[in-house]
């Protein structure tokens, strides 16, 4: 990146906020004047609304109905410093993205109450002023960070009146009447509302927005399928380069999947777990700095996030050399059978946890069969003894967050009932730690998880990720076909 010099001009004499390290101090009047003009009018007047504009409007209407007469404030969030003057890549809050379809840092959606509903306004940073030099001298100037939409363009795209975000804190500070804000994203907005809000009421807003995302609309289902389809291609990419990973490390797998995610989507939806050999027994192995060895398994848990921020969450466990050993196959097939039982329990009207119990029962049965646990299976399940090796829940809701709807109440989620449009992962696993003295030595260091993204339909479910093979034989055939 271009290096900037320290400013010589004292802070209070600088006409506009400069980048942290300052920028080309001593701008002459002539240069300043010169930079004001000679720029083409690039305003776009032919913009179509974003594809989900109708859906975001309907989501806002439902929100309005839930909180009549109250001002509702939903911030996108701000950039976070990574070090010195570099920032992490920005990801808008899921609440903001869900209600607006916009993903701009510092943006704020304000729903202003009126008789019979709300007036929504989207507060955004407008195009850079060229008269005062902001355009090229300010850290947020478009010359540095790229062209933004004008507020008029924003109105066309998002189907909402847009206003300058630099006015939002004053507007909120002056507002009267009940207010709620989604906390944790924008400290300036929260400070402006500090004496008007309560934690309890704000939490109700967050919970509502989390629960409203439990059932996905048509647009969201389409995006989830896109995320999964890209993820399938990313898994194929990885299989094709396993020899290069063997020659280097798990990082080759991480980088290969990331390339697909960045080219076809926005990003990865979470840190890719590229776990070879015994690393597969570490549930969130994201260091990805270990060796990839023939004869061992690779557990790849990764998901592409679409440009609209919906993510897939898929796991396949595969033999690095293309063929499962007898023991690897035995463990893999047990996890497969558990996943089959879990997927079969996903249907409208089922209790959310049914799929978890179905999968756990199969795993407990196998562990008893193999002599790792004493039966009866009922007793094992009652005491949860299988969990030494099954470790985690069998799945979770999926959407804008990989673990979506996390603020939903128990009665709406974990203790709730499945409905068409819900999308969840089914991902049983068995993990035998390298230092687990309670299992025969040959089991140690083997970890297997199989994870698919399952949509609840009117009459059962649809596996969005069924383009990837799941049986041990199909995994082997798939690997052979990709490696030639
Ligand atoms: N990738 C995290 C999970 O499977 O939940
Ligand atoms: Mn998952
Ligand atoms: Mn996963």
């Amino acid at each position: 990146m271009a290096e900037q010099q320290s400013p010589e001009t004292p802070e209070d004499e600088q006409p506009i906020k400069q980048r942290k390290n300052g920028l080309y101090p001593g701008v002459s009047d002539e240069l300043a004047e010169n930079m004001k003009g000679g720029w083409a009018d690039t305003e776009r007047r032919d913009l179509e609304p974003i594809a989900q504009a109708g859906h975001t409007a309907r989501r806002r209407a439902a929100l309005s109905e839930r909180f009549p007469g109250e001002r509702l404030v939903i911030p996108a969030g701000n950039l976070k410093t990574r070090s010195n003057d570099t920032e992490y890549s920005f990801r808008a809050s899921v609440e903001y993205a869900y209600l607006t379809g916009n993903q701009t840092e510092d943006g704020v959606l304000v729903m202003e109450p009126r008789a019979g509903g709300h007036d929504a306004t989207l507060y955004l940073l407008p195009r850079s002023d060229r008269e005062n030099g902001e355009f090229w001298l300010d850290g947020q100037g478009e010359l540095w960070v790229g062209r933004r939409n004008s507020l008029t363009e924003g109105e066309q795209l998002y189907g909402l009146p847009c206003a300058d975000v630099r006015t939002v804190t004053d507007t909120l500070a002056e507002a009267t009447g009940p207010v709620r804000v989604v906390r944790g994203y924008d400290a300036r907005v929260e400070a402006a509302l500090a004496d008007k809000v309560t934690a309890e009421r704000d939490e109700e807003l967050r919970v509502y927005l989390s629960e409203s995302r439990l059932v996905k609309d048509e647009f969201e289902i389409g995006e989830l399928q896109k995320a999964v389809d890209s993820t399938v291609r990313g898994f194929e990419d990885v299989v094709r380069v396993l020899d290069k990973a063997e020659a280097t490390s798990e990082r080759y797998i991480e980088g290969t999947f990331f390339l697909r995610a960045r080219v076809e989507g926005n990003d990865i939806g979470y840190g890719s777990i590229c776990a070879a050999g015994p690393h597969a027994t570490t549930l969130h192995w994201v260091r990805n700095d270990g060796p990839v060895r023939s004869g061992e398994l690779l557990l790849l848990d990764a998901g592409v996030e679409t440009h609209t921020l919906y993510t897939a969450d898929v796991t396949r466990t595969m033999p690095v050399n293309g063929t499962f050993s007898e023991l690897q196959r035995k463990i893999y097939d047990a996890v497969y059978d558990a996943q089959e039982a879990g997927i079969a329990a996903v249907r409208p009207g089922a209790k959310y946890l049914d799929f978890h119990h179905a999968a756990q029962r199969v795993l407990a049965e196998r562990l008893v069969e193999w002599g790792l646990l004493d039966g009866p299976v009922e007793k094992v399940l009652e005491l949860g003894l299988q969990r030494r090796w099954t470790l985690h829940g069998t799945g979770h809701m999926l959407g804008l967050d990989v673990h979506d709807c996390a603020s939903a109440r128990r009665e709406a989620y974990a203790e709730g009932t499945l409905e068409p449009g819900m999308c969840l992962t089914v991902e049983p696993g068995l993990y035998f730690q390298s230092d687990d003295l309670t299992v025969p030595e040959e089991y140690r260091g083997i970890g297997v998880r199989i994870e698919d993204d399952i949509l609840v339909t009117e009459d059962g479910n649809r596996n969005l990720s069924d383009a990837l093979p799941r049986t041990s034989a199909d995994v082997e055939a798939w690997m052979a076909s990709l490696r030639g």
Side-chain angles (χ1 to χ4, degrees):
M1 62 194 297
E3 200 173 332
Q4 299 161 21
Q5 299 161 17
S6 301
E8 286 165 6
T9 323
E11 190 97 10
D12 56 0
E13 287 175 27
Q14 292 174 12
I16 53 162
K17 182 177 139 261
Q18 296 194 342
R19 284 182 76 83
K20 283 176 198 152
N21 288 343
L23 170 75
Y24 308 125
V27 174
S28 68
D29 290 348
E30 287 76 6
L31 176 58
E33 196 55 35
N34 175 283
M35 287 298 283
K36 287 181 186 175
W39 310 107
D41 174 7
T42 62
E43 180 76 8
R44 286 173 290 184
R45 296 170 179 86
D46 54 353
L47 290 173
E48 295 292 326
I50 57 168
Q52 61 173 320
H55 294 282
T56 54
R58 192 189 38 70
R59 297 168 197 158
R60 290 193 301 273
L63 173 65
S64 169
E65 212 167 297
R66 168 65 181 79
F67 296 103
E70 303 190 35
R71 183 172 280 96
L72 307 170
V73 183
I74 300 99
N78 317 121
L79 287 171
K80 286 189 176 58
T81 300
R82 182 170 185 268
S83 181
N84 187 29
D85 60 352
T86 58
E87 285 104 12
Y88 290 104
S89 61
F90 179 73
R91 190 178 193 271
S93 74
V94 292
E95 292 87 352
Y96 178 86
Y98 183 70
L99 292 168
T100 67
N102 179 256
Q103 298 177 28
T104 316
E105 62 261 30
D106 301 333
V108 185
L109 172 68
V110 178
M111 307 266 293
E112 188 96 13
R114 60 162 165 75
H118 287 79
D119 291 323
T121 304
L122 188 54
Y123 287 86
L124 296 169
L125 198 57
R127 299 218 46 207
S128 295
D129 192 327
R130 301 191 183 211
E131 275 298 309
N132 68 4
E134 174 191 340
F135 153 67
W136 67 295
L137 294 172
D138 186 283
Q140 286 183 305
E142 287 178 299
L143 186 138
W144 285 92
V145 300
R147 188 190 187 281
R148 283 188 280 275
N149 294 316
S150 70
L151 297 183
T152 312
E153 289 168 345
E155 289 179 355
Q156 294 170 62
L157 288 167
Y158 302 108
L160 281 168
C162 292
D164 188 335
V165 73
R166 289 170 295 197
T167 65
V168 77
T169 47
D170 287 347
T171 304
L172 292 174
E174 285 160 17
T176 55
V179 191
R180 298 183 198 242
V181 61
V182 182
R183 294 189 179 201
Y185 297 125
D186 192 322
R188 286 169 295 191
V189 166
E190 286 178 39
L193 293 170
D195 56 354
K196 304 178 202 290
V197 292
T198 69
E200 195 185 351
R201 286 163 39 77
D202 290 350
E203 188 56 20
E204 283 171 3
L205 174 59
R206 182 196 304 282
V207 168
Y208 167 80
L209 288 171
S210 202
E211 291 181 7
S212 66
R213 302 201 313 274
L214 281 165
V215 173
K216 270 63 185 175
D217 60 38
E218 243 172 79
F219 176 84
E220 295 182 286
I221 293 167
E223 291 299 293
L224 283 165
Q225 186 66 66
K226 271 192 222 167
V228 168
D229 291 346
S230 286
T231 299
V232 169
R233 289 188 280 275
F235 274 62
E236 291 168 352
D237 295 340
V238 166
V239 171
R240 285 194 195 95
V241 300
L242 275 180
D243 55 336
K244 294 200 174 68
E246 276 189 73
T248 54
S249 79
E250 294 164 336
R251 289 285 163 93
Y252 208 95
I253 294 165
E254 180 183 325
T256 299
F257 189 82
F258 185 61
L259 179 64
R260 181 65 70 170
R262 286 294 283 173
V263 169
E264 292 194 2
N266 176 57
D267 207 333
I268 46 173
Y270 54 92
S272 299
I273 297 167
C274 308
H279 289 157
T281 66
T282 300
L283 294 179
H284 285 171
W285 176 259
V286 291
R287 281 182 237 157
N288 301 336
D289 58 358
V292 176
R293 288 185 282 241
S294 176
E296 295 185 331
L297 295 176
L298 167 69
L299 184 158
L300 175 61
D301 181 344
V304 172
E305 175 184 271
T306 61
H307 294 290
T308 54
L309 306 183
Y310 288 85
T311 189
D313 181 11
V314 174
T315 305
R316 287 294 181 270
T317 306
M318 60 196 95
V320 172
N321 65 15
T323 308
F324 289 96
S325 73
E326 203 179 316
L327 180 62
Q328 288 167 350
R329 191 185 308 275
K330 179 175 96 165
I331 296 169
Y332 185 94
D333 289 348
V335 175
Y336 171 78
D337 289 345
Q339 200 204 21
E340 279 286 278
I343 293 172
V346 174
R347 57 178 170 271
K351 298 303 291 176
Y352 171 79
L353 280 177
D354 286 355
F355 79 99
H356 171 67
H357 295 311
Q360 290 286 304
R361 173 171 293 277
V362 172
L363 295 175
E365 283 168 0
R366 293 297 190 285
L367 291 164
V368 169
E369 206 176 293
W370 300 340
L372 302 185
L373 286 172
D374 292 330
V377 170
E378 291 307 329
K379 187 79 181 165
V380 168
L381 288 169
E382 189 188 321
L383 299 176
L385 298 177
Q386 79 285 358
R387 291 176 59 186
R388 182 179 177 96
W389 301 292
T390 67
L391 295 182
H392 54 77
T394 308
H396 52 83
M397 295 294 178
L398 186 69
L400 284 168
D401 273 321
V402 60
H403 298 156
D404 207 29
C405 311
S407 296
R409 291 163 304 156
R410 285 193 68 78
E411 57 265 41
Y413 185 168
E415 291 166 7
T417 301
L418 293 180
E419 291 177 44
M422 289 181 169
C423 186
L424 57 145
T425 68
V426 178
E427 50 173 310
L430 280 175
Y431 311 90
F432 301 101
Q433 306 299 318
S434 302
D435 58 351
D436 187 343
L437 302 180
T438 70
V439 297
E441 202 172 341
E442 63 268 26
Y443 282 68
R444 296 177 202 159
I446 295 181
V448 174
R449 176 162 66 254
I450 313 173
E451 175 172 28
D452 282 82
D453 300 341
I454 310 294
L455 175 72
V456 184
T457 59
E458 294 293 338
D459 54 2
N461 70 59
R462 189 163 88 231
N463 184 347
L464 301 182
S465 41
D466 69 354
L468 284 177
R470 288 193 299 122
T471 67
S472 50
D474 287 350
V475 168
E476 288 174 339
W478 169 71
M479 292 182 76
S481 73
L482 290 168
R483 297 174 101 181

